Amino acid sequence: MTDFHGVIPPVVIARHDDGSFDEESTTKNLTRLIDAGVNGLFILGSSGEGAFVTDAERDQVVKNAISVAAGRVPVLVGCIDTQTSRVIEHIKHAEACGADGIVATAPFYALGGLAQVERHFRCLAQATTLPIFAYDIPVCVHVKLPPELLVRLGRDGVLAGVKDSSGDDVSFRFLSLLNEEAGHPLKLFTGHEVVVDGAYLSGADGSVPGLGNIDPWGYVRQWKAFTEGDWETVKKEQDRLARLMRITSVAHSVTGFGAGVGAFKQALKLQGIFASARMPEPVPQLVDDEVTSIRAILDAEGVL
């Protein structure tokens, strides 16, 4: 099994002005991330529009990422959908394309409680030999994955790890403790860009920072400093990255996904990586004064 660790950014995908997938710009982003020294790529997560893409776009995005990676780093594919059978269809597609691992949320829309959530993950594991990472993102699926459930599934070989985007640092600390007590069956990753240093201190095996699309070098430096026990540099990088993360707080014309991923796309366009900051329908792009604010933050933090 691939040893997943370190910085694995959730890759932001580019779209042309007409809304279609921009393979050229996305390839530039993927190549830059790999050249910066990231330890893996996570495609079709929240930042990668996993809940927005059509099946045809999914095929394009997955094949493009695996082709660009060319075995240099592992590729995790987000298989996010409402119910088990639909997720398994996505898993089979990812397998056929050559993915190295799967990231899946709890089922949503037809909610049935934690017993059904557990059965969902066990069914996914029975359907594939690829390692499965549970994506804990209750703001989107309205279920918080309890540490006890996750560790049990890890001990049973159902899950290989967890991508925690719950925003619940107390729960993450308890998850880390339970994971260590069980012999560390799960690889734990934080998806929260501004508290990666705290997650490393808690026992995380790496990070999945959306902001890593904008400054992969900073997160790679932070990871290397952590592995060397240089906590002063870990904190220094985190403080700077936290200031950079303010690009996601400038929006007033849109909220949520449009504000966060919208800021990432505008930043990538300002950096010359994306040709367009087009968002998936019905999400609008940020407006001119918001883009001006993003430019100022990028410039102040030295990534423009």
Side-chain angles (χ1 to χ4, degrees):
M1 183 183 295
T2 300
D3 180 21
F4 297 95
H5 65 277
V7 182
I8 305 179
V11 179
V12 176
I13 64 170
R15 293 180 179 274
H16 294 293
D17 286 334
D18 66 2
S20 61
F21 175 58
D22 181 352
E23 182 174 326
E24 182 179 355
S25 292
T26 301
T27 295
K28 287 176 67 175
N29 188 33
L30 290 164
T31 301
R32 185 179 70 148
L33 293 173
I34 294 170
D35 290 346
V38 302
N39 305 99
L41 302 168
F42 170 33
I43 58 171
L44 296 179
S46 298
S47 296
E49 303 178 19
F52 290 90
V53 293
T54 64
D55 287 345
E57 289 171 336
R58 170 178 293 276
D59 186 64
Q60 290 176 297
V61 171
V62 174
K63 288 178 177 176
N64 178 58
I66 291 173
S67 174
V68 174
R72 291 178 289 173
V73 295
V75 177
L76 289 165
V77 176
C79 296
I80 300 169
D81 216 316
T82 51
Q83 295 300 117
T84 306
S85 59
R86 295 175 63 85
V87 176
I88 290 174
E89 286 185 352
H90 297 323
I91 290 174
K92 293 302 182 184
H93 174 262
E95 281 181 337
C97 292
D100 297 291
I102 300 299
V103 183
T105 68
F108 51 96
Y109 186 76
L111 302 177
L114 289 178
Q116 291 184 23
V117 170
E118 179 169 356
R119 179 170 174 77
H120 170 74
F121 283 113
R122 291 187 182 276
C123 288
L124 300 187
Q126 290 172 359
T128 184
T129 58
L130 291 178
I132 298 174
F133 287 74
Y135 190 174
D136 192 11
I137 185 165
V139 68
C140 292
V141 302
H142 309 294
V143 174
K144 175 71 181 74
L145 299 176
E148 296 80 6
L149 170 62
L150 292 169
V151 173
R152 180 167 68 250
L153 292 175
R155 292 181 65 178
D156 290 350
V158 174
L159 295 177
V162 178
K163 192 253 183 176
D164 183 274
S165 294
S166 68
D168 189 340
D169 293 333
V170 174
S171 179
F172 187 81
R173 189 58 173 260
F174 285 133
L175 172 59
S176 297
L177 288 171
L178 286 174
N179 195 43
E180 288 304 309
E181 291 167 2
H184 207 99
L186 298 168
K187 290 296 185 76
L188 304 182
F189 293 83
T190 180
H192 288 281
E193 292 90 340
V194 299
V195 293
V196 174
D197 54 349
Y200 287 164
L201 187 63
S202 294
D205 297 286
S207 63
V208 186
L211 189 67
N213 288 273
I214 314 307
D215 186 3
W217 309 276
Y219 284 103
V220 170
R221 285 194 300 268
Q222 185 187 46
W223 168 253
K224 290 181 177 178
F226 162 64
T227 62
E228 295 167 357
D230 181 3
W231 286 99
E232 181 178 353
T233 299
V234 170
K235 182 182 184 301
K236 180 180 178 181
E237 287 290 349
Q238 187 65 82
D239 287 345
R240 188 184 62 79
L241 290 163
R243 292 192 295 269
L244 182 59
M245 188 63 177
R246 290 171 179 164
I247 64 172
T248 63
S249 302
V250 304
H252 56 77
S253 63
V254 67
T255 61
F257 176 84
V261 176
F264 292 159
K265 288 201 177 192
Q266 291 290 351
L268 286 163
K269 183 179 179 183
L270 289 168
Q271 290 177 319
I273 305 300
F274 280 11
S276 171
R278 175 67 184 261
M279 298 291 285
E281 291 292 357
V283 185
Q285 296 182 49
L286 300 188
V287 297
D288 288 348
D289 67 311
E290 296 166 337
V291 177
T292 298
S293 296
I294 290 171
R295 182 191 294 275
I297 294 170
L298 297 178
D299 187 53
E301 301 307 325
V303 292
L304 191 59

PDB file of all heavy atoms in Angstrom, residues 91-126:
ATOM      1  N   ILE A  91     -15.940   4.818  -7.674  1.00  0.00           N
ATOM      2  CA  ILE A  91     -14.743   4.079  -7.278  1.00  0.00           C
ATOM      3  C   ILE A  91     -14.263   3.184  -8.411  1.00  0.00           C
ATOM      4  O   ILE A  91     -13.064   3.127  -8.713  1.00  0.00           O
ATOM      5  CB  ILE A  91     -15.014   3.243  -6.006  1.00  0.00           C
ATOM      6  CG1 ILE A  91     -15.168   4.164  -4.790  1.00  0.00           C
ATOM      7  CG2 ILE A  91     -13.887   2.236  -5.764  1.00  0.00           C
ATOM      8  CD1 ILE A  91     -15.571   3.441  -3.514  1.00  0.00           C
ATOM      9  N   LYS A  92     -15.188   2.486  -9.061  1.00  0.00           N
ATOM     10  CA  LYS A  92     -14.816   1.605 -10.167  1.00  0.00           C
ATOM     11  C   LYS A  92     -14.173   2.398 -11.302  1.00  0.00           C
ATOM     12  O   LYS A  92     -13.219   1.941 -11.953  1.00  0.00           O
ATOM     13  CB  LYS A  92     -16.040   0.843 -10.665  1.00  0.00           C
ATOM     14  CG  LYS A  92     -16.599  -0.162  -9.663  1.00  0.00           C
ATOM     15  CD  LYS A  92     -15.554  -1.188  -9.253  1.00  0.00           C
ATOM     16  CE  LYS A  92     -16.124  -2.220  -8.292  1.00  0.00           C
ATOM     17  NZ  LYS A  92     -15.058  -3.170  -7.829  1.00  0.00           N
ATOM     18  N   HIS A  93     -14.689   3.586 -11.546  1.00  0.00           N
ATOM     19  CA  HIS A  93     -14.096   4.443 -12.576  1.00  0.00           C
ATOM     20  C   HIS A  93     -12.682   4.856 -12.174  1.00  0.00           C
ATOM     21  O   HIS A  93     -11.752   4.808 -13.008  1.00  0.00           O
ATOM     22  CB  HIS A  93     -14.960   5.685 -12.794  1.00  0.00           C
ATOM     23  CG  HIS A  93     -14.349   6.675 -13.732  1.00  0.00           C
ATOM     24  ND1 HIS A  93     -13.650   7.780 -13.280  1.00  0.00           N
ATOM     25  CD2 HIS A  93     -14.309   6.721 -15.088  1.00  0.00           C
ATOM     26  CE1 HIS A  93     -13.223   8.472 -14.327  1.00  0.00           C
ATOM     27  NE2 HIS A  93     -13.603   7.850 -15.437  1.00  0.00           N
ATOM     28  N   ALA A  94     -12.501   5.257 -10.915  1.00  0.00           N
ATOM     29  CA  ALA A  94     -11.178   5.666 -10.437  1.00  0.00           C
ATOM     30  C   ALA A  94     -10.185   4.510 -10.525  1.00  0.00           C
ATOM     31  O   ALA A  94      -9.021   4.692 -10.904  1.00  0.00           O
ATOM     32  CB  ALA A  94     -11.284   6.172  -8.997  1.00  0.00           C
ATOM     33  N   GLU A  95     -10.635   3.317 -10.179  1.00  0.00           N
ATOM     34  CA  GLU A  95      -9.786   2.123 -10.291  1.00  0.00           C
ATOM     35  C   GLU A  95      -9.322   1.927 -11.731  1.00  0.00           C
ATOM     36  O   GLU A  95      -8.137   1.695 -11.988  1.00  0.00           O
ATOM     37  CB  GLU A  95     -10.573   0.885  -9.866  1.00  0.00           C
ATOM     38  CG  GLU A  95     -10.717   0.671  -8.388  1.00  0.00           C
ATOM     39  CD  GLU A  95     -11.487  -0.601  -8.088  1.00  0.00           C
ATOM     40  OE1 GLU A  95     -12.256  -1.069  -8.946  1.00  0.00           O
ATOM     41  OE2 GLU A  95     -11.314  -1.146  -6.981  1.00  0.00           O
ATOM     42  N   ALA A  96     -10.254   2.007 -12.644  1.00  0.00           N
ATOM     43  CA  ALA A  96      -9.947   1.773 -14.055  1.00  0.00           C
ATOM     44  C   ALA A  96      -8.960   2.801 -14.598  1.00  0.00           C
ATOM     45  O   ALA A  96      -8.174   2.505 -15.509  1.00  0.00           O
ATOM     46  CB  ALA A  96     -11.228   1.788 -14.880  1.00  0.00           C
ATOM     47  N   CYS A  97      -8.985   4.001 -14.025  1.00  0.00           N
ATOM     48  CA  CYS A  97      -8.084   5.068 -14.481  1.00  0.00           C
ATOM     49  C   CYS A  97      -6.700   4.971 -13.854  1.00  0.00           C
ATOM     50  O   CYS A  97      -5.768   5.643 -14.309  1.00  0.00           O
ATOM     51  CB  CYS A  97      -8.691   6.432 -14.169  1.00  0.00           C
ATOM     52  SG  CYS A  97     -10.171   6.824 -15.124  1.00  0.00           S
ATOM     53  N   GLY A  98      -6.570   4.177 -12.784  1.00  0.00           N
ATOM     54  CA  GLY A  98      -5.265   4.012 -12.147  1.00  0.00           C
ATOM     55  C   GLY A  98      -5.062   4.814 -10.882  1.00  0.00           C
ATOM     56  O   GLY A  98      -3.914   5.117 -10.520  1.00  0.00           O
ATOM     57  N   ALA A  99      -6.136   5.145 -10.182  1.00  0.00           N
ATOM     58  CA  ALA A  99      -6.026   5.890  -8.926  1.00  0.00           C
ATOM     59  C   ALA A  99      -5.282   5.080  -7.872  1.00  0.00           C
ATOM     60  O   ALA A  99      -5.268   3.848  -7.891  1.00  0.00           O
ATOM     61  CB  ALA A  99      -7.415   6.257  -8.416  1.00  0.00           C
ATOM     62  N   ASP A 100      -4.662   5.784  -6.930  1.00  0.00           N
ATOM     63  CA  ASP A 100      -3.925   5.135  -5.842  1.00  0.00           C
ATOM     64  C   ASP A 100      -4.751   5.011  -4.570  1.00  0.00           C
ATOM     65  O   ASP A 100      -4.384   4.253  -3.665  1.00  0.00           O
ATOM     66  CB  ASP A 100      -2.651   5.930  -5.534  1.00  0.00           C
ATOM     67  CG  ASP A 100      -1.707   5.947  -6.718  1.00  0.00           C
ATOM     68  OD1 ASP A 100      -1.145   4.886  -7.039  1.00  0.00           O
ATOM     69  OD2 ASP A 100      -1.544   7.021  -7.332  1.00  0.00           O
ATOM     70  N   GLY A 101      -5.831   5.763  -4.468  1.00  0.00           N
ATOM     71  CA  GLY A 101      -6.671   5.712  -3.281  1.00  0.00           C
ATOM     72  C   GLY A 101      -7.962   6.469  -3.510  1.00  0.00           C
ATOM     73  O   GLY A 101      -8.112   7.216  -4.490  1.00  0.00           O
ATOM     74  N   ILE A 102      -8.893   6.279  -2.585  1.00  0.00           N
ATOM     75  CA  ILE A 102     -10.238   6.848  -2.678  1.00  0.00           C
ATOM     76  C   ILE A 102     -10.527   7.685  -1.433  1.00  0.00           C
ATOM     77  O   ILE A 102     -10.137   7.323  -0.326  1.00  0.00           O
ATOM     78  CB  ILE A 102     -11.292   5.722  -2.779  1.00  0.00           C
ATOM     79  CG1 ILE A 102     -11.044   4.852  -4.016  1.00  0.00           C
ATOM     80  CG2 ILE A 102     -12.702   6.284  -2.768  1.00  0.00           C
ATOM     81  CD1 ILE A 102     -11.122   5.580  -5.331  1.00  0.00           C
ATOM     82  N   VAL A 103     -11.219   8.792  -1.653  1.00  0.00           N
ATOM     83  CA  VAL A 103     -11.704   9.611  -0.534  1.00  0.00           C
ATOM     84  C   VAL A 103     -13.223   9.696  -0.650  1.00  0.00           C
ATOM     85  O   VAL A 103     -13.747  10.087  -1.698  1.00  0.00           O
ATOM     86  CB  VAL A 103     -11.093  11.022  -0.558  1.00  0.00           C
ATOM     87  CG1 VAL A 103     -11.565  11.814   0.660  1.00  0.00           C
ATOM     88  CG2 VAL A 103      -9.568  10.950  -0.597  1.00  0.00           C
ATOM     89  N   ALA A 104     -13.928   9.320   0.417  1.00  0.00           N
ATOM     90  CA  ALA A 104     -15.389   9.289   0.372  1.00  0.00           C
ATOM     91  C   ALA A 104     -15.984   9.862   1.651  1.00  0.00           C
ATOM     92  O   ALA A 104     -15.462   9.639   2.747  1.00  0.00           O
ATOM     93  CB  ALA A 104     -15.890   7.850   0.176  1.00  0.00           C
ATOM     94  N   THR A 105     -17.076  10.576   1.499  1.00  0.00           N
ATOM     95  CA  THR A 105     -17.811  11.101   2.642  1.00  0.00           C
ATOM     96  C   THR A 105     -18.824  10.065   3.127  1.00  0.00           C
ATOM     97  O   THR A 105     -19.018   9.020   2.508  1.00  0.00           O
ATOM     98  CB  THR A 105     -18.578  12.377   2.271  1.00  0.00           C
ATOM     99  OG1 THR A 105     -19.639  12.024   1.354  1.00  0.00           O
ATOM    100  CG2 THR A 105     -17.672  13.414   1.627  1.00  0.00           C
ATOM    101  N   ALA A 106     -19.487  10.391   4.222  1.00  0.00           N
ATOM    102  CA  ALA A 106     -20.678   9.648   4.615  1.00  0.00           C
ATOM    103  C   ALA A 106     -21.748   9.875   3.552  1.00  0.00           C
ATOM    104  O   ALA A 106     -21.717  10.884   2.832  1.00  0.00           O
ATOM    105  CB  ALA A 106     -21.193  10.133   5.967  1.00  0.00           C
ATOM    106  N   PRO A 107     -22.695   8.953   3.399  1.00  0.00           N
ATOM    107  CA  PRO A 107     -23.795   9.183   2.468  1.00  0.00           C
ATOM    108  C   PRO A 107     -24.626  10.374   2.947  1.00  0.00           C
ATOM    109  O   PRO A 107     -24.655  10.686   4.139  1.00  0.00           O
ATOM    110  CB  PRO A 107     -24.588   7.881   2.523  1.00  0.00           C
ATOM    111  CG  PRO A 107     -24.264   7.292   3.851  1.00  0.00           C
ATOM    112  CD  PRO A 107     -22.850   7.683   4.140  1.00  0.00           C
ATOM    113  N   PHE A 108     -25.277  11.042   2.025  1.00  0.00           N
ATOM    114  CA  PHE A 108     -26.091  12.192   2.423  1.00  0.00           C
ATOM    115  C   PHE A 108     -27.362  12.263   1.595  1.00  0.00           C
ATOM    116  O   PHE A 108     -27.583  11.444   0.725  1.00  0.00           O
ATOM    117  CB  PHE A 108     -25.291  13.497   2.316  1.00  0.00           C
ATOM    118  CG  PHE A 108     -24.597  13.711   0.999  1.00  0.00           C
ATOM    119  CD1 PHE A 108     -25.171  14.483  -0.008  1.00  0.00           C
ATOM    120  CD2 PHE A 108     -23.350  13.156   0.768  1.00  0.00           C
ATOM    121  CE1 PHE A 108     -24.535  14.686  -1.217  1.00  0.00           C
ATOM    122  CE2 PHE A 108     -22.682  13.368  -0.439  1.00  0.00           C
ATOM    123  CZ  PHE A 108     -23.283  14.121  -1.438  1.00  0.00           C
ATOM    124  N   TYR A 109     -28.181  13.199   1.883  1.00  0.00           N
ATOM    125  CA  TYR A 109     -29.534  13.410   1.340  1.00  0.00           C
ATOM    126  C   TYR A 109     -30.530  12.505   2.059  1.00  0.00           C
ATOM    127  O   TYR A 109     -31.415  12.988   2.740  1.00  0.00           O
ATOM    128  CB  TYR A 109     -29.592  13.182  -0.183  1.00  0.00           C
ATOM    129  CG  TYR A 109     -30.960  13.537  -0.745  1.00  0.00           C
ATOM    130  CD1 TYR A 109     -31.315  14.873  -0.912  1.00  0.00           C
ATOM    131  CD2 TYR A 109     -31.892  12.557  -1.069  1.00  0.00           C
ATOM    132  CE1 TYR A 109     -32.575  15.215  -1.392  1.00  0.00           C
ATOM    133  CE2 TYR A 109     -33.144  12.892  -1.556  1.00  0.00           C
ATOM    134  CZ  TYR A 109     -33.487  14.219  -1.713  1.00  0.00           C
ATOM    135  OH  TYR A 109     -34.726  14.550  -2.183  1.00  0.00           O
ATOM    136  N   ALA A 110     -30.417  11.202   1.917  1.00  0.00           N
ATOM    137  CA  ALA A 110     -31.286  10.279   2.666  1.00  0.00           C
ATOM    138  C   ALA A 110     -30.512   9.810   3.890  1.00  0.00           C
ATOM    139  O   ALA A 110     -29.820   8.798   3.848  1.00  0.00           O
ATOM    140  CB  ALA A 110     -31.692   9.100   1.793  1.00  0.00           C
ATOM    141  N   LEU A 111     -30.596  10.582   4.972  1.00  0.00           N
ATOM    142  CA  LEU A 111     -29.809  10.305   6.164  1.00  0.00           C
ATOM    143  C   LEU A 111     -30.455   9.204   6.983  1.00  0.00           C
ATOM    144  O   LEU A 111     -31.665   9.166   7.156  1.00  0.00           O
ATOM    145  CB  LEU A 111     -29.667  11.573   7.005  1.00  0.00           C
ATOM    146  CG  LEU A 111     -29.020  12.776   6.284  1.00  0.00           C
ATOM    147  CD1 LEU A 111     -29.002  13.987   7.200  1.00  0.00           C
ATOM    148  CD2 LEU A 111     -27.629  12.437   5.809  1.00  0.00           C
ATOM    149  N   GLY A 112     -29.591   8.320   7.534  1.00  0.00           N
ATOM    150  CA  GLY A 112     -30.150   7.194   8.277  1.00  0.00           C
ATOM    151  C   GLY A 112     -29.473   6.867   9.580  1.00  0.00           C
ATOM    152  O   GLY A 112     -29.722   5.812  10.154  1.00  0.00           O
ATOM    153  N   GLY A 113     -28.574   7.735  10.050  1.00  0.00           N
ATOM    154  CA  GLY A 113     -27.899   7.472  11.314  1.00  0.00           C
ATOM    155  C   GLY A 113     -26.553   6.798  11.139  1.00  0.00           C
ATOM    156  O   GLY A 113     -26.179   6.353  10.042  1.00  0.00           O
ATOM    157  N   LEU A 114     -25.806   6.689  12.230  1.00  0.00           N
ATOM    158  CA  LEU A 114     -24.430   6.220  12.176  1.00  0.00           C
ATOM    159  C   LEU A 114     -24.311   4.747  11.799  1.00  0.00           C
ATOM    160  O   LEU A 114     -23.303   4.337  11.216  1.00  0.00           O
ATOM    161  CB  LEU A 114     -23.739   6.476  13.516  1.00  0.00           C
ATOM    162  CG  LEU A 114     -23.447   7.956  13.822  1.00  0.00           C
ATOM    163  CD1 LEU A 114     -22.808   8.088  15.200  1.00  0.00           C
ATOM    164  CD2 LEU A 114     -22.537   8.560  12.761  1.00  0.00           C
ATOM    165  N   ALA A 115     -25.316   3.944  12.113  1.00  0.00           N
ATOM    166  CA  ALA A 115     -25.246   2.531  11.731  1.00  0.00           C
ATOM    167  C   ALA A 115     -25.182   2.400  10.209  1.00  0.00           C
ATOM    168  O   ALA A 115     -24.426   1.573   9.669  1.00  0.00           O
ATOM    169  CB  ALA A 115     -26.447   1.768  12.281  1.00  0.00           C
ATOM    170  N   GLN A 116     -25.948   3.222   9.507  1.00  0.00           N
ATOM    171  CA  GLN A 116     -25.928   3.176   8.049  1.00  0.00           C
ATOM    172  C   GLN A 116     -24.650   3.798   7.485  1.00  0.00           C
ATOM    173  O   GLN A 116     -24.144   3.363   6.445  1.00  0.00           O
ATOM    174  CB  GLN A 116     -27.161   3.862   7.474  1.00  0.00           C
ATOM    175  CG  GLN A 116     -28.437   3.077   7.750  1.00  0.00           C
ATOM    176  CD  GLN A 116     -29.657   3.702   7.113  1.00  0.00           C
ATOM    177  OE1 GLN A 116     -29.557   4.455   6.148  1.00  0.00           O
ATOM    178  NE2 GLN A 116     -30.827   3.398   7.655  1.00  0.00           N
ATOM    179  N   VAL A 117     -24.125   4.810   8.182  1.00  0.00           N
ATOM    180  CA  VAL A 117     -22.847   5.384   7.771  1.00  0.00           C
ATOM    181  C   VAL A 117     -21.750   4.323   7.843  1.00  0.00           C
ATOM    182  O   VAL A 117     -20.943   4.169   6.920  1.00  0.00           O
ATOM    183  CB  VAL A 117     -22.486   6.599   8.647  1.00  0.00           C
ATOM    184  CG1 VAL A 117     -21.051   7.052   8.379  1.00  0.00           C
ATOM    185  CG2 VAL A 117     -23.459   7.751   8.409  1.00  0.00           C
ATOM    186  N   GLU A 118     -21.727   3.562   8.935  1.00  0.00           N
ATOM    187  CA  GLU A 118     -20.730   2.511   9.079  1.00  0.00           C
ATOM    188  C   GLU A 118     -20.895   1.457   7.983  1.00  0.00           C
ATOM    189  O   GLU A 118     -19.907   1.011   7.373  1.00  0.00           O
ATOM    190  CB  GLU A 118     -20.834   1.862  10.454  1.00  0.00           C
ATOM    191  CG  GLU A 118     -19.831   0.735  10.650  1.00  0.00           C
ATOM    192  CD  GLU A 118     -19.745   0.257  12.093  1.00  0.00           C
ATOM    193  OE1 GLU A 118     -20.414   0.850  12.970  1.00  0.00           O
ATOM    194  OE2 GLU A 118     -18.998  -0.716  12.336  1.00  0.00           O
ATOM    195  N   ARG A 119     -22.127   1.060   7.721  1.00  0.00           N
ATOM    196  CA  ARG A 119     -22.366   0.067   6.680  1.00  0.00           C
ATOM    197  C   ARG A 119     -21.918   0.599   5.313  1.00  0.00           C
ATOM    198  O   ARG A 119     -21.368  -0.162   4.488  1.00  0.00           O
ATOM    199  CB  ARG A 119     -23.849  -0.310   6.647  1.00  0.00           C
ATOM    200  CG  ARG A 119     -24.187  -1.336   5.559  1.00  0.00           C
ATOM    201  CD  ARG A 119     -25.605  -1.880   5.696  1.00  0.00           C
ATOM    202  NE  ARG A 119     -25.962  -2.737   4.572  1.00  0.00           N
ATOM    203  CZ  ARG A 119     -25.554  -3.999   4.417  1.00  0.00           C
ATOM    204  NH1 ARG A 119     -24.778  -4.553   5.332  1.00  0.00           N
ATOM    205  NH2 ARG A 119     -25.921  -4.705   3.363  1.00  0.00           N
ATOM    206  N   HIS A 120     -22.148   1.861   5.092  1.00  0.00           N
ATOM    207  CA  HIS A 120     -21.721   2.500   3.838  1.00  0.00           C
ATOM    208  C   HIS A 120     -20.223   2.291   3.613  1.00  0.00           C
ATOM    209  O   HIS A 120     -19.803   1.808   2.548  1.00  0.00           O
ATOM    210  CB  HIS A 120     -22.056   3.989   3.904  1.00  0.00           C
ATOM    211  CG  HIS A 120     -21.471   4.825   2.810  1.00  0.00           C
ATOM    212  ND1 HIS A 120     -21.934   4.811   1.514  1.00  0.00           N
ATOM    213  CD2 HIS A 120     -20.440   5.731   2.831  1.00  0.00           C
ATOM    214  CE1 HIS A 120     -21.240   5.666   0.777  1.00  0.00           C
ATOM    215  NE2 HIS A 120     -20.322   6.225   1.548  1.00  0.00           N
ATOM    216  N   PHE A 121     -19.409   2.624   4.601  1.00  0.00           N
ATOM    217  CA  PHE A 121     -17.963   2.496   4.435  1.00  0.00           C
ATOM    218  C   PHE A 121     -17.539   1.029   4.303  1.00  0.00           C
ATOM    219  O   PHE A 121     -16.625   0.711   3.532  1.00  0.00           O
ATOM    220  CB  PHE A 121     -17.225   3.167   5.594  1.00  0.00           C
ATOM    221  CG  PHE A 121     -17.188   4.667   5.492  1.00  0.00           C
ATOM    222  CD1 PHE A 121     -17.865   5.466   6.394  1.00  0.00           C
ATOM    223  CD2 PHE A 121     -16.475   5.287   4.468  1.00  0.00           C
ATOM    224  CE1 PHE A 121     -17.830   6.849   6.297  1.00  0.00           C
ATOM    225  CE2 PHE A 121     -16.434   6.673   4.356  1.00  0.00           C
ATOM    226  CZ  PHE A 121     -17.117   7.449   5.272  1.00  0.00           C
ATOM    227  N   ARG A 122     -18.223   0.137   5.015  1.00  0.00           N
ATOM    228  CA  ARG A 122     -17.887  -1.288   4.886  1.00  0.00           C
ATOM    229  C   ARG A 122     -18.234  -1.798   3.483  1.00  0.00           C
ATOM    230  O   ARG A 122     -17.494  -2.602   2.906  1.00  0.00           O
ATOM    231  CB  ARG A 122     -18.602  -2.094   5.970  1.00  0.00           C
ATOM    232  CG  ARG A 122     -18.069  -1.815   7.380  1.00  0.00           C
ATOM    233  CD  ARG A 122     -18.662  -2.743   8.427  1.00  0.00           C
ATOM    234  NE  ARG A 122     -18.179  -2.416   9.750  1.00  0.00           N
ATOM    235  CZ  ARG A 122     -17.021  -2.847  10.266  1.00  0.00           C
ATOM    236  NH1 ARG A 122     -16.232  -3.639   9.552  1.00  0.00           N
ATOM    237  NH2 ARG A 122     -16.655  -2.499  11.486  1.00  0.00           N
ATOM    238  N   CYS A 123     -19.322  -1.321   2.921  1.00  0.00           N
ATOM    239  CA  CYS A 123     -19.685  -1.716   1.555  1.00  0.00           C
ATOM    240  C   CYS A 123     -18.667  -1.189   0.550  1.00  0.00           C
ATOM    241  O   CYS A 123     -18.307  -1.890  -0.412  1.00  0.00           O
ATOM    242  CB  CYS A 123     -21.073  -1.197   1.208  1.00  0.00           C
ATOM    243  SG  CYS A 123     -22.438  -2.042   2.039  1.00  0.00           S
ATOM    244  N   LEU A 124     -18.190   0.031   0.760  1.00  0.00           N
ATOM    245  CA  LEU A 124     -17.178   0.583  -0.141  1.00  0.00           C
ATOM    246  C   LEU A 124     -15.912  -0.262  -0.102  1.00  0.00           C
ATOM    247  O   LEU A 124     -15.309  -0.567  -1.148  1.00  0.00           O
ATOM    248  CB  LEU A 124     -16.847   2.025   0.236  1.00  0.00           C
ATOM    249  CG  LEU A 124     -17.980   3.061   0.209  1.00  0.00           C
ATOM    250  CD1 LEU A 124     -17.409   4.457   0.437  1.00  0.00           C
ATOM    251  CD2 LEU A 124     -18.767   3.007  -1.086  1.00  0.00           C
ATOM    252  N   ALA A 125     -15.500  -0.643   1.093  1.00  0.00           N
ATOM    253  CA  ALA A 125     -14.275  -1.436   1.238  1.00  0.00           C
ATOM    254  C   ALA A 125     -14.405  -2.805   0.576  1.00  0.00           C
ATOM    255  O   ALA A 125     -13.437  -3.335   0.015  1.00  0.00           O
ATOM    256  CB  ALA A 125     -13.922  -1.592   2.713  1.00  0.00           C
ATOM    257  N   GLN A 126     -15.596  -3.374   0.629  1.00  0.00           N
ATOM    258  CA  GLN A 126     -15.818  -4.674  -0.009  1.00  0.00           C
ATOM    259  C   GLN A 126     -15.786  -4.578  -1.528  1.00  0.00           C
ATOM    260  O   GLN A 126     -15.554  -5.572  -2.218  1.00  0.00           O
ATOM    261  CB  GLN A 126     -17.160  -5.252   0.446  1.00  0.00           C
ATOM    262  CG  GLN A 126     -17.178  -5.693   1.904  1.00  0.00           C
ATOM    263  CD  GLN A 126     -18.567  -6.083   2.375  1.00  0.00           C
ATOM    264  OE1 GLN A 126     -19.535  -6.005   1.619  1.00  0.00           O
ATOM    265  NE2 GLN A 126     -18.666  -6.503   3.633  1.00  0.00           N
TER     266      GLN A 126
END
